[in-house]
Amino acid sequence: MNIKSLGVILLVAAVVAMIARRLRVPYAAGLVLSGGLLALLGVGSAIELTKELIYMVLLPPLVFEAALYIEWAELRRDLAVIVSFATAGVLISGAVVAAGMHALVKWPWPESVLFGSLIAATDPVSVVATFRAVNVTPRMRLLVEAESLLNDATAAILFGLAIVFAAGESMTVPAVAWSLVVSIVGGIGVGAAVAGAAIALARSTDDHLVELTFTAIAAYGSFFLAEHVHASGVLASMTAGLLVGNMGLHARGSAVRRDHLMSFWEFAAFLANSVIFILIGMRVARESFAAEVWPAIAAIVLVLVGRAASIYPISALFRASSLRVRSQDQHVLFWGGLRGALALALALGLPDTLAGRGGVVTVTFAVAAFSIVVQGMTIHPLLVRLGEIVPSALGD
């Protein structure tokens, strides 16, 4: 990405954010539509959306920033619900989509399983950007953000196993179990270690700029190190963000230092979101959907069905407990299960030699576009109708 293209993207993002605030609509959807318009006008045609750009450059700060706002006491209280959505929910959703694509679209099992695994998780890049813009209830926001962070790690792990399956390699139960342990335990361990070192170093300085630098190292360093040892980079950055947010921010006892840190990461997330959503819109405008109309429609419906099949039955398990998820919260979790950058990063990272790769990538973009624009534009009226926010809360 060249500097001129980046400048155009940031200018458009700033203008769209202003307009979206005035019109009281989610700016993420506006950015996607703006990206499509830029592509049709031939602006920024040299920009290429790649897995490396999304996964290695833009995703770590987004995951880290989202985790900064999650308080450990609240997370611990609802951990059973969140983990259930992020594990069993992802498996159910992925299975529904994979089986449906195989049965309805006649995709081979390898392609169906790959698509089901990469599209199963809600994406923090999309979900957090949408829900951060409205004043939802604290528990609703926690469920949405924490689930989206954890289930991204689950989907990434499942996708790795699906790649092995698609390649025709044998998978034994011990090998799968070991892969899961390395991904989960390794990701959490790396995140904790890097964050611990960053917090210790930050406490030894009174320079807030140096402190911010250490948090950036925690966000990116944990992600890269975890990926290097074949662990979950998403879990590592999430763990680092949780620790910095719950330990590092309060250690100095200074509200000013906390404000500096939060402002820095809020701006970093805004930049990353802006680049991602505009590039998604540009890529969607350039995609040819003519040959994939039926697969795209089927995928959109199956993703919604899979989401419903995971949210409502799992919520029913907690109906008689203190962790009961209210029916209106279930509806928000269902419709607010947006897909976006992570799914696109995984799809774009598929091997060029994979049969049907083009179809999987195109359908993934179709699902992401529908998710961000249609669901993103209608989530606020749904929240108002269900009493989750007051009508004037958007953009306040």
Side-chain angles (χ1 to χ4, degrees):
M1 179 184 300
N2 56 50
I3 299 300
K4 291 182 180 179
S5 298
L6 180 60
V8 171
I9 287 177
L10 295 182
L11 174 61
V12 171
V15 173
V16 169
M18 293 172 57
I19 296 174
R21 181 178 290 271
R22 287 184 177 274
L23 297 179
R24 299 184 179 278
V25 297
Y27 86 99
L31 289 174
V32 172
L33 295 174
S34 299
L37 180 61
L38 288 176
L40 294 176
L41 294 175
V43 179
S45 58
I47 300 176
E48 183 66 28
L49 188 67
T50 65
K51 177 188 176 181
E52 289 71 24
L53 176 62
I54 298 175
Y55 202 68
M56 305 302 285
V57 179
L58 302 175
L59 191 59
L62 288 167
V63 172
F64 184 85
E65 188 264 350
L68 278 177
Y69 288 88
I70 297 177
E71 295 187 11
W72 173 245
E74 296 180 352
L75 178 63
R76 182 175 55 189
R77 184 186 62 222
D78 280 306
L79 191 61
V81 179
I82 294 167
V83 170
S84 297
F85 285 146
T87 54
V90 170
L91 291 171
I92 293 170
S93 179
V96 169
V97 173
M101 293 302 287
H102 178 72
L104 299 177
V105 185
K106 307 304 180 183
W107 276 4
W109 274 116
E111 295 172 29
S112 300
V113 172
L114 280 172
F115 181 71
S117 63
L118 68 86
I119 207 69
T122 56
D123 192 343
V125 175
S126 301
V127 176
V128 174
T130 300
F131 280 82
R132 187 70 54 81
V134 297
N135 186 28
V136 296
T137 60
R139 191 186 186 217
M140 183 74 263
R141 179 168 167 174
L142 173 71
L143 290 176
V144 169
E145 294 192 4
E147 184 215 351
S148 67
L149 287 170
L150 286 173
N151 68 17
D152 263 26
T154 305
I157 293 169
L158 290 177
F159 181 77
L161 297 175
I163 284 287
V164 175
F165 169 73
E169 300 178 17
S170 60
M171 293 187 297
T172 63
V173 173
V176 172
W178 176 248
S179 177
L180 292 174
V181 169
V182 170
S183 295
I184 298 172
V185 178
I188 295 174
V190 168
V194 173
I199 290 171
L201 290 170
R203 289 179 180 178
S204 65
T205 180
D206 291 323
D207 190 330
H208 73 279
L209 295 178
V210 174
E211 188 176 44
L212 292 177
T213 303
F214 285 133
T215 62
I217 293 173
Y220 279 101
S222 59
F223 190 95
F224 293 151
L225 182 57
E227 291 291 319
H228 180 71
V229 298
H230 305 291
S232 171
V234 174
L235 272 179
S237 285
M238 185 199 72
T239 302
L242 281 172
L243 290 177
V244 171
N246 287 274
M247 295 173 58
L249 293 177
H250 304 293
R252 313 283 309 180
S254 170
V256 174
R257 300 179 80 91
R258 178 184 176 87
D259 289 342
H260 283 154
L261 190 60
M262 290 303 197
S263 296
F264 170 79
W265 282 105
E266 185 177 2
F267 178 64
F270 173 77
L271 291 181
N273 275 323
S274 299
V275 173
I276 286 176
F277 287 129
I278 288 180
L279 291 185
I280 288 175
M282 295 177 73
R283 179 62 184 265
V284 168
R286 295 170 184 157
E287 284 287 327
S288 176
F289 295 97
E292 305 294 343
V293 173
W294 166 238
I297 294 174
I300 290 170
V301 173
L302 287 169
V303 166
L304 292 174
V305 172
R307 181 67 175 169
S310 63
I311 291 298
Y312 295 110
I314 290 177
S315 297
L317 297 177
F318 299 94
R319 183 180 301 164
S321 72
S322 60
L323 298 177
R324 182 180 71 88
V325 181
R326 300 180 306 165
S327 59
Q328 57 264 47
D329 291 344
Q330 295 177 42
H331 301 329
V332 174
L333 285 167
F334 159 66
W335 194 245
L338 311 184
R339 270 64 171 183
L342 180 68
L344 295 175
L346 296 177
L348 290 170
L350 288 170
D352 293 334
T353 56
L354 178 70
R357 178 186 184 277
V360 172
V361 172
T362 299
V363 172
T364 302
F365 271 99
V367 173
F370 174 87
S371 174
I372 297 169
V373 176
V374 178
Q375 291 177 255
M377 292 288 286
T378 56
I379 191 66
H380 177 240
L382 177 64
L383 290 169
V384 174
R385 183 177 180 82
L386 295 175
E388 294 286 352
I389 58 173
V390 295
S392 62
L394 184 62
D396 293 345

